[in-house]
Amino acid sequence: MDLLQTIGGYLFTDIRMAAPVLLAGLGLLLMNWSGLLNIGAEGIMLIAALSAVAGSHYFGSVWLGLLLAMLAGAIFGLLFAVLTVTLRANQTVVGAALNILGLSLSTTLNRVLFGIETTVTKVDAFKVLEIPLLSKIPVIGRAFFAQMPIVYIAFLLVPVIHYFLFKTKPGLNLRSVGENPRVADTLGINVYRTQYLATIVGSTIVAAGGAFLSTGLLDFFAEDMVAGRGYIALAAVIFGKYKPAGIMVAAMIFMAGNVVSNVLQVAGIGIPYTFLTMIPYILTIIALTIFASRAVAPASLGKPYKRG
Amino acid sequence: MGVILEMENICKQFPGVLANDCICFSVKEGEVHALLGENGAGKSTLMNILCGLYKPTSGEIRLEGETVRFNSARDAMERGIGMVHQHFMLIPTMTVTENCLIGDKEGSSIKLDRKEAGRRLKELAERYGMEIDPDAIVGTLSVGEMQRVEIIKALFRGAKILILDEPTAVLTPQEARALFKMIRALTDNQFTVIFISHKLDEVKEISDRVTVLRLGTVVGTYDIDQCSVEELARLMVGRDIHFDAVTRQQPVGDTLLEVNNLSLHREKSNEGKLLEDLTFEVHKGEILGIAGVDGNGQAELVECLTGIRSASSGEALYQGKDLLKLSTRDIMSNDVSHIPQDRQKTGLVMPMTLVENFALQDYYKKDFGKGALMNWIGVEERSAKLIQDFSVKTPSPYELAQNLSGGNQQKVVVAREISRQPKLLIAMHPTRGLDVGAVEYIHNQLIDQRDKGVGIVLVSTEMEEIMRLSDRIIVLYEGRAMGCVRPSETTVEEMGLMMGGRTLDDIRKGSIKETSVEEKMM
């Protein structure tokens, strides 16, 4: 019984930790299917994490904080689209720029808004929303049904986005743009509009992942707090073979490493904690080297499209 | 039959080129109208204007008497004009149905109704005698099947006028015949077909009327019954051309290249082989033709023989050495020359001058400089001589390769390779995309080399070229040799069957029914 409870506890933590990576991955997925390779998720998540704290602090509502974070994400997405779609700048370079911009802007704004103090400004954060009855199921009840609202949203988005991509006309059109924009163009699809929409909507979803870090997992902003999760999300998309369910599995596997490292740290087995915190990143590298070459990316991913 | 489409005084000016010069063109409902012309005559430009991809500089398009203006391919499609491009506009990872549904706006629901669409596609295909599996992944289909999908897609989206851009370029003769049957079934049902081609025989066979284009202008429109193939040729080229076979002066010499059991696996060995057990010989003073539909292992064979790829097994003995074990540099320095398949990608460095391009193959040799220093004066003299000898039209040896016409670019490649005085010449698609004059020139160069005792491997998809130049022909199908024949002892029929995957032995034994391939095609 004790063991089962421990497993339930791990599962609870894993799902909670996986949610932000899952959100970021799903957002990136939409952009990828429109043919855009955005490596700037880390930057978007950082500026979103700060915006969420600022929103929660000034408006007194964590939900308004989330909204502000998503707005910040949309602006970053718009910037990415203008540079890569309209001006056809190199997508990797612009993505890297977003990461640098996100890091420096969030650091600077944080110091301006909350000052350089040793004590952090705590804000209103998301509360656990227990689903009556279901959360009382032994072992898995708490893991699945006693989470914060954003966690539910993240996991509900998996079937929603799958349905959108593979069962609807706009989804088919989006995928055709990612596979071959010229084909899409000759069949009357507005390629540029599709890419703009996918980037902006995708970036708001990525931003929701960032917001969850500072107002869900924690209740304050810390500099560089995303700590590589944006890159792990990139890896999750590839590992998940560009399918929502695959990304969910990938996010949970990568973050299980995080859980393990936490457990080992608490257990105090004498390995310096810095090594233990490497576990999720090492898992990501191993998973990618084994599976990445077999992933089937949209054929025109990362290639700019010029009409005519 | 009334006139359904008129294009009047269409001009299209590209930077530096007048691609269409006041073209008038009209098509009757229910006819097959061929658009005949050499490469660069303006056929594709005119049709891209018709299907909304280009906007004309001036001129007017009338559809059933009504003036129309297309801003996009969608506009043209909505008015019933569908084009099947030479390079298919299909997404290989998606199913046939999905490919037909991209951009579809019918119905208010946003849900994809694959079943209903698949049913409609099947119905449509059956009505015109085509077979199609709506749920097949496009990437797994053969080229002929993909073309059928393109045609069905156009019909599915409401095309009444179908433009086919060089549709037989990628087909075996049998597949082409199946296509012609399809075209007939369509025109019997009031569809109109515009058929772009530069192949005279098939234009003669399939069309009702023909409009001949030359250098961006209309030469004339004729009823096909009133033109012979020779007349069409003269109209297209502007002068008489000869189709005579080449007679050879001297017998072939000793064995020069001996290829034994050459095989090349795919990256994952369980996915089959790119080349399987190829065994053949090339003699001195002989042209060995390698025929087949594009993509059946020809490129891989050439890459193995020139050291660009390493073969999985086998040997290629040449002057006591195994070419498969040598590097490209070693092969080339053993008097082997290579005319690559794509002059713009692998034959020349486009942004470099002709002088530099001429030096590419042998720049490290003593004639070209001392140590690390290039002797540019010597190289220039050499280039000037080659330009003169091979009558390359260029303002100066320092012109950039990219500024030359296709024919002159190819002459530069041929001049560079032949001037190295090879013993073995490997030429792939040496005349692809060239006009008749340049083709003749290159052919004469190859014959010249043969008569000097050079052994030549000629890879080509042009049946006429292969039949005209080769002493022996090997037909490749999915990396295997279907047979080896002499042009004088074979027929186009037989070649076509081999290109479609039947071995020479089977054909000559007649063990398979004559009709079976055609049935499969339909």
Side-chain angles (χ1 to χ4, degrees):
Chain A
M1 200 59 207
D2 230 21
L3 178 72
L4 284 180
Q5 239 159 24
T6 319
I7 292 173
Y10 290 166
L11 196 59
F12 173 83
T13 318
D14 189 19
I15 287 177
R16 199 178 53 154
M17 300 290 279
V21 174
L22 175 58
L23 280 168
L26 292 175
L28 288 174
L29 181 71
L30 289 180
M31 294 183 232
N32 285 177
W33 273 117
S34 80
L36 296 175
L37 178 67
N38 186 351
I39 65 158
E42 184 86 3
I44 297 174
M45 289 173 86
L46 267 170
I47 197 71
L50 176 78
S51 303
V53 168
S56 186
H57 179 76
Y58 289 109
F59 305 135
S61 155
V62 67
W63 286 100
L64 287 176
L66 175 65
L67 200 67
L68 190 66
M70 289 168 76
L71 188 68
I75 293 170
F76 265 52
L78 181 66
L79 179 66
F80 183 81
V82 170
L83 291 171
T84 61
V85 179
T86 307
L87 301 174
R88 283 192 293 280
N90 182 301
Q91 293 168 20
T92 311
V93 171
V94 175
L98 285 195
N99 284 336
I100 299 168
L101 182 66
L103 174 61
S104 44
L105 198 61
S106 62
T107 305
T108 308
L109 286 178
N110 179 45
R111 291 178 190 177
V112 170
L113 294 175
F114 303 112
I116 315 169
E117 289 163 29
T118 41
T119 54
V120 292
T121 311
K122 298 244 180 187
V123 294
D124 200 15
F126 283 102
K127 307 277 184 302
V128 166
L129 177 68
E130 273 195 46
I131 313 260
L133 294 177
L134 290 177
S135 61
K136 300 286 184 271
I137 299 174
V139 185
I140 58 161
R142 288 198 59 74
F144 288 124
F145 303 108
Q147 296 279 8
M148 295 174 194
I150 296 196
V151 179
Y152 299 131
I153 293 171
F155 282 84
L156 279 177
L157 272 178
V158 172
V160 168
I161 290 181
H162 182 88
Y163 184 84
F164 168 75
L165 280 175
F166 300 103
K167 306 282 176 191
T168 69
K169 291 180 192 172
L172 177 67
N173 293 350
L174 173 67
R175 286 190 292 133
S176 71
V177 170
E179 290 280 2
N180 190 333
R182 193 161 302 279
V183 169
D185 203 356
T186 58
L187 293 173
I189 293 166
N190 187 331
V191 173
Y192 295 159
R193 194 179 65 196
T194 307
Q195 293 185 320
Y196 263 89
L197 272 175
T199 312
I200 292 169
V201 173
S203 299
T204 55
I205 299 176
V206 174
F212 183 70
L213 294 175
S214 62
T215 55
L217 292 182
L218 300 171
D219 55 2
F220 57 86
F221 178 83
E223 288 172 13
D224 202 11
M225 71 184 300
V226 178
R229 285 180 183 85
Y231 297 108
I232 292 182
L234 271 176
V237 174
I238 299 169
F239 183 73
K241 300 198 168 167
Y242 299 86
K243 302 254 166 58
I247 297 173
M248 179 177 77
V249 172
M252 290 194 51
I253 292 175
F254 294 161
M255 285 302 123
N258 214 320
V259 179
V260 171
S261 94
N262 285 351
V263 171
L264 292 178
Q265 279 179 58
V266 173
I269 51 167
I271 303 170
Y273 83 96
T274 37
F275 284 101
L276 295 176
T277 50
M278 284 182 200
I279 291 175
Y281 304 96
I282 292 171
L283 260 180
T284 308
I285 292 171
I286 292 171
L288 277 186
T289 37
I290 296 174
F291 295 101
S293 59
R294 291 180 218 165
V296 195
S300 295
L301 184 58
K303 296 176 194 153
Y305 176 62
K306 189 172 184 298
R307 283 201 73 175
Chain B
M1 289 199 289
V3 170
I4 187 169
L5 167 81
E6 289 167 281
M7 299 181 81
E8 210 162 75
N9 294 322
I10 300 286
C11 295
K12 177 68 187 179
Q13 177 81 52
F14 286 115
V17 196
L18 188 58
N20 285 169
D21 187 2
C22 272
I23 288 188
C24 295
F25 175 63
S26 87
V27 180
K28 291 179 192 164
E29 188 171 7
E31 74 170 344
V32 179
H33 195 122
L35 203 52
L36 179 70
E38 294 188 79
N39 292 297
K43 298 167 298 192
S44 293
T45 306
L46 187 68
M47 288 302 109
N48 279 329
I49 290 172
L50 180 57
C51 78
L53 285 178
Y54 295 161
K55 277 180 208 164
T57 313
S58 65
E60 177 169 285
I61 303 173
R62 277 196 301 276
L63 209 57
E64 293 167 320
E66 184 193 337
T67 303
V68 289
R69 210 172 271 279
F70 299 140
N71 289 315
S72 68
R74 164 160 240 145
D75 289 353
M77 209 173 348
E78 275 168 4
R79 296 303 306 261
I81 297 175
M83 182 152 174
V84 175
H85 295 268
Q86 217 173 340
H87 302 284
F88 299 141
M89 293 288 195
L90 294 171
I91 294 175
T93 50
M94 294 185 179
T95 66
V96 172
T97 308
E98 285 175 325
N99 265 287
C100 292
L101 281 174
I102 295 169
D104 183 50
K105 282 205 173 130
E106 239 172 75
S108 52
S109 154
I110 69 156
K111 192 179 179 307
L112 266 185
D113 196 344
R114 288 192 176 86
K115 258 196 199 141
E116 166 65 14
R119 200 186 53 72
R120 272 177 59 204
L121 277 175
K122 227 175 155 81
E123 202 181 277
L124 205 56
E126 275 163 14
R127 197 183 313 158
Y128 304 112
M130 295 177 241
E131 201 177 277
I132 218 165
D133 172 11
D135 299 321
I137 303 282
V138 167
T140 65
L141 302 179
S142 73
V143 178
E145 288 171 318
M146 284 194 211
Q147 191 174 58
R148 228 172 301 155
V149 173
E150 278 279 37
I151 293 172
I152 292 282
K153 183 171 91 176
L155 300 180
F156 183 80
R157 304 173 77 92
K160 297 297 289 174
I161 301 178
L162 206 57
I163 307 167
L164 305 176
D165 189 359
E166 309 242 355
T168 59
V170 290
L171 302 181
T172 65
Q174 281 77 9
E175 283 178 309
R177 209 161 315 128
L179 172 72
F180 287 177
K181 266 193 193 165
M182 243 180 272
I183 292 177
R184 278 297 161 210
L186 288 171
T187 50
D188 288 347
N189 284 282
Q190 297 311 303
F191 285 95
T192 308
V193 174
I194 300 175
F195 187 93
I196 306 179
S197 181
H198 64 256
K199 294 184 187 167
L200 302 167
D201 292 323
E202 61 183 37
V203 165
K204 177 78 183 161
E205 184 182 342
I206 188 67
S207 51
D208 299 308
R209 293 197 302 156
V210 55
T211 293
V212 183
L213 295 188
R214 190 165 72 221
L215 302 172
T217 59
V218 173
V219 178
T221 299
Y222 311 92
D223 283 331
I224 203 75
D225 303 335
Q226 293 164 10
C227 293
S228 67
V229 169
E230 287 70 26
E231 273 175 299
L232 285 176
R234 193 163 30 77
L235 290 168
M236 177 169 88
V237 183
R239 63 186 168 85
D240 287 313
I241 49 172
H242 304 286
F243 292 108
D244 327 328
V246 185
T247 46
R248 54 175 315 119
Q249 314 293 325
Q250 67 241 55
V252 298
D254 306 333
T255 302
L256 179 69
L257 172 70
E258 189 185 332
V259 176
N260 290 319
N261 301 94
L262 171 59
S263 290
L264 177 67
H265 300 287
R266 282 182 201 276
E267 260 172 63
K268 289 175 199 152
S269 50
N270 56 357
E271 284 174 357
K273 292 172 179 172
L274 290 163
L275 295 173
E276 201 174 327
D277 275 340
L278 292 182
T279 298
F280 59 86
E281 284 175 359
V282 184
H283 300 95
K284 287 179 183 160
E286 178 190 47
I287 298 182
L288 176 73
I290 308 275
V293 177
D294 224 356
N296 275 292
Q298 297 98 319
E300 289 79 6
L301 173 62
V302 169
E303 283 170 0
C304 286
L305 291 180
T306 52
I308 295 167
R309 250 188 207 230
S310 32
S312 311
S313 62
E315 55 178 10
L317 300 176
Y318 165 80
Q319 298 187 336
K321 300 187 178 91
D322 184 357
L323 291 186
L324 303 183
K325 295 205 167 63
L326 298 181
S327 69
T328 304
R329 165 72 60 90
D330 289 338
I331 293 171
M332 294 299 151
S333 59
N334 273 295
D335 303 322
V336 178
S337 274
H338 175 205
I339 300 173
Q341 59 169 325
D342 188 334
R343 56 184 163 269
Q344 304 201 336
K345 281 189 188 142
T346 41
L348 298 168
V349 181
M350 299 304 280
M352 282 191 182
T353 65
L354 296 190
V355 172
E356 287 165 326
N357 271 295
F358 277 125
L360 279 181
Q361 185 75 278
D362 294 306
Y363 67 92
Y364 59 92
K365 290 189 177 159
K366 250 194 244 142
D367 301 352
F368 289 78
K370 244 186 195 164
L373 290 177
M374 291 290 290
N375 171 15
W376 283 117
I377 297 168
V379 176
E380 189 200 321
E381 281 166 6
R382 197 186 147 83
S383 304
K385 188 168 179 304
L386 286 176
I387 288 169
Q388 204 176 16
D389 289 353
F390 288 80
S391 50
V392 179
K393 283 198 196 97
T394 171
S396 115
Y398 288 100
E399 189 60 49
L400 302 183
Q402 66 200 21
N403 295 338
L404 265 57
S405 72
N408 282 303
Q409 287 172 354
Q410 190 69 357
K411 280 182 186 175
V412 171
V413 177
V414 170
R416 182 182 71 208
E417 297 304 322
I418 287 180
S419 67
R420 304 175 64 237
Q421 298 176 327
K423 294 200 172 76
L424 175 66
L425 174 63
I426 299 169
M428 186 156 186
H429 305 317
T431 61
R432 181 173 271 185
L434 301 186
D435 61 51
V436 173
V439 169
E440 228 177 329
Y441 182 85
I442 305 260
H443 282 181
N444 288 337
Q445 289 294 332
L446 291 177
I447 292 163
D448 216 38
Q449 289 300 305
R450 180 200 67 189
D451 290 343
K452 282 184 184 153
V454 177
I456 299 176
V457 178
L458 170 68
V459 179
S460 175
T461 50
E462 294 290 330
M463 186 86 92
E464 269 177 36
E465 175 168 276
I466 282 277
M467 296 284 263
R468 182 163 177 253
L469 295 179
S470 312
D471 295 299
R472 288 181 301 133
I473 304 166
I474 289 176
V475 182
L476 286 189
Y477 176 77
E478 293 187 344
R480 282 171 290 135
M482 292 292 110
C484 180
V485 291
R486 289 180 189 283
S488 54
E489 293 163 6
T490 187
T491 59
V492 172
E493 284 293 290
E494 206 171 69
M495 293 282 292
L497 287 170
M498 285 194 276
M499 286 160 77
R502 289 174 61 188
T503 62
L504 185 64
D505 290 347
D506 279 348
I507 299 166
R508 296 213 167 150
K509 262 189 253 157
S511 60
I512 298 172
K513 271 195 305 182
E514 269 308 303
T515 48
S516 66
V517 168
E518 216 162 294
E519 272 168 9
K520 213 175 81 193
M521 254 50 264
M522 298 305 288

